[in-house]
Amino acid sequence: MKIGISAIAYYLPQDVVNNVDRGQKFDVNKEFLRDKIGVLEFRRAKVDELSSDMALKSLEALELEAGRSLRSVDILVVVTQNPDTNIPHVSGLVHGKAGLSDKCITFDLSLGCSGYVYGLQVVKSLMSDLNLDTGILITSDPYSKIINDKDKNTSLLFGDGAVATLLERDPIFELLSESFSYYSKGDLKGALAVRNGSFVMDGRAVFNFAVTKVPNLVNECIEKSGLDKCEIDKFLFHQGSAYIIETMRKKLSLVKDECPINIQVHGNLVSSSVPMLLAETLPNPNAKNVLLCGFGVGLSAGAIVIKRSEK
Amino acid sequence: MTLDDIIKVIENTKVVPNFSEFNPDAPLADNGVDSLDTYTIILALEEEFAVGLDDVEIEEIDSAAKIYNYIKSHS
């Protein structure tokens, strides 16, 4: 049987940040926030709430969603670039706190906004190669730990959240493995980087990367899937900013309904933005063929088409 | 390449509000173009005329006429 996504659940920190109020401190008006940056509010983890805490809560939410214990999972992969500490890895902490099986393959992937697609391929491949039944992919990257609140470029954009995805055989969404597509362009200039402990972003460089390279990757992914573009019901793009999403949408000649946006209430969730959109898309039976595309830190991009199973 | 070619590329980006009132001698910001829309215009010009503009240059050549003069002198 095919391996794919059978459930998704997420955790959002309780504290809601009003971005309109914050925008006023930078003389950024509500229209620009809404139409260009796209973020009107977002969640922020408490100071003592770390990547593993968010990841564990998303795992617990996933068990509720699946309706059963997942403590015997065969593989746990956590995508993060803001671990609690450099050592040990976040997935190890989640493994210990959740009391997972001592046979569970457990490791982190250090990737940013493209990480979900990479993670899907890694978990799926291991499950296939080792003939395993259950895998969990968690994205948990609390950017609030590295955001400088005085930096207008970044402090109005990023939110915190974690998403857990259950991969099994006989899934809701099958992964069309032949469609996995990737793009890398080593970022030596620091378009997205941490300097002196704070995250910095060259908005123009990121914009140019997103709108010149990613649409080509999307088209490559569709072609490899064997489907026509018109057969893709939803395009779930990384929520980099409202302006980037809208520019990419126009470049790909897509209508707005095909490109759901949730950045207004979540902000840019880094590797969690694509699975968060997918969690919101999963209950929609009309979303049969869905393209997932993440892009950002690296510079790195990944895309895949997933197909709703016929049951 | 003429100034009209530059203006045509800017028009095709569709990011300028009230393009009928576009003033090529005025800064893009005074034509209602915000910072993110400027990214779109600069990228379109770079692709059309095969030139590279760095951030410092963009701050200095802030109107269509200045962009035209810059590209003409660097091509």
Side-chain angles (χ1 to χ4, degrees):
Chain A
M1 279 188 285
K2 304 285 187 181
I3 293 170
I5 296 167
S6 58
I8 301 183
Y10 56 84
Y11 165 74
L12 294 171
Q14 284 189 332
D15 292 347
V16 180
V17 178
N18 184 322
N19 214 29
V20 178
D21 292 344
R22 289 168 58 82
Q24 289 176 346
K25 296 177 187 172
F26 295 105
D27 288 329
V28 174
N29 63 44
K30 185 175 180 179
E31 287 69 32
F32 190 84
L33 269 178
R34 182 191 61 212
D35 300 336
K36 300 300 175 70
I37 296 174
V39 185
L40 296 178
E41 65 178 45
F42 58 85
R43 304 296 182 100
R44 172 164 279 194
K46 294 187 185 302
V47 172
D48 60 352
E49 187 173 32
L50 305 179
S51 181
S52 71
D53 300 316
M54 297 202 312
L56 179 64
K57 285 177 178 167
S58 72
L59 172 60
E60 291 167 348
L62 185 64
E63 289 184 307
L64 284 175
E65 180 70 19
R68 68 183 197 274
S69 169
L70 297 170
R71 308 288 157 133
S72 60
V73 62
D74 299 307
I75 303 174
L76 171 68
V77 174
V78 175
V79 178
T80 189
Q81 293 189 315
N82 286 287
D84 301 18
T85 56
N86 284 336
I87 299 173
H89 41 291
V90 171
S91 52
L93 296 172
V94 175
H95 181 283
K97 291 176 182 178
L100 303 186
S101 155
D102 60 7
K103 296 296 183 188
C104 179
I105 299 167
T106 303
F107 63 95
D108 288 1
L109 280 182
S110 175
L111 283 166
C113 313
S114 64
Y116 187 65
V117 173
Y118 277 85
L120 287 176
Q121 172 126 51
V122 167
V123 173
K124 185 261 178 191
S125 298
L126 278 169
M127 289 175 66
S128 180
D129 285 354
L130 302 174
N131 196 27
L132 304 176
D133 293 324
T134 312
I136 293 177
L137 173 64
I138 296 178
T139 51
S140 178
D141 211 344
Y143 260 41
S144 59
K145 309 302 181 192
I146 53 171
I147 293 291
N148 176 355
D149 274 338
K150 295 177 181 173
D151 184 351
K152 177 182 172 182
N153 285 338
T154 58
S155 68
L156 298 174
L157 190 57
F158 292 89
D160 291 337
V163 184
T165 302
L166 180 61
L167 288 99
E168 295 179 299
R169 296 164 200 280
D170 194 21
I172 295 174
F173 274 107
E174 173 192 342
L175 307 180
L176 298 187
S177 294
E178 62 275 18
S179 72
F180 273 115
S181 302
Y182 299 99
Y183 179 87
S184 297
K185 184 181 182 184
D187 177 16
L188 300 180
K189 294 182 178 176
L192 293 158
V194 171
R195 292 200 191 103
N196 301 320
S198 292
F199 179 70
V200 293
M201 179 177 74
D202 177 346
R204 184 176 163 228
V206 175
F207 172 80
N208 286 354
F209 165 65
V211 304
T212 61
K213 305 302 180 187
V214 178
N216 293 339
L217 184 76
V218 169
N219 287 327
E220 175 190 333
C221 179
I222 295 169
E223 187 176 340
K224 287 158 74 173
S225 76
L227 297 169
D228 287 331
K229 193 171 172 184
C230 62
E231 294 179 281
I232 306 292
D233 303 303
K234 298 289 178 187
F235 293 77
L236 307 188
F237 294 131
H238 167 59
Q239 304 287 286
S241 72
Y243 194 76
I244 284 178
I245 300 163
E246 182 65 5
T247 305
M248 284 179 44
R249 183 186 71 76
K250 289 176 180 171
K251 279 224 163 196
L252 287 161
S253 302
L254 303 173
V255 299
K256 285 193 174 184
D257 188 51
E258 292 174 309
C259 302
I261 291 179
N262 64 10
I263 192 173
Q264 306 96 325
V265 291
H266 297 314
N268 178 339
L269 291 173
V270 198
S271 53
S272 290
S273 70
V274 171
M276 180 64 80
L277 276 172
L278 184 57
E280 294 164 356
T281 302
L282 212 63
N284 176 3
N286 295 324
K288 292 185 168 54
N289 298 316
V290 178
L291 185 140
L292 314 179
C293 180
F295 52 88
V297 176
L299 298 167
S300 164
I304 182 183
V305 174
I306 60 176
K307 184 180 183 68
R308 190 177 289 271
S309 303
E310 293 180 8
K311 293 187 177 178
Chain B
M1 182 200 63
T2 65
L3 176 59
D4 283 345
D5 294 331
I6 299 287
I7 294 171
K8 192 68 182 172
V9 171
I10 294 173
E11 181 180 13
N12 287 341
T13 63
K14 298 177 181 174
V15 299
V16 181
N18 304 318
F19 193 81
S20 59
E21 298 173 14
F22 182 73
N23 180 357
D25 295 313
L28 293 172
D30 291 353
N31 282 292
V33 176
D34 65 35
S35 57
L36 293 180
D37 291 329
T38 301
Y39 292 169
T40 296
I41 288 175
I42 295 300
L43 179 60
L45 291 166
E46 287 179 328
E47 290 182 333
E48 179 68 25
F49 299 110
V51 294
L53 302 173
D54 66 31
D55 291 338
V56 175
E57 290 167 340
I58 290 169
E59 285 190 19
E60 293 172 355
I61 50 172
D62 60 356
S63 70
K66 288 180 181 176
I67 292 170
Y68 165 67
N69 288 328
Y70 177 90
I71 294 178
K72 190 172 71 170
S73 64
H74 287 76
S75 58

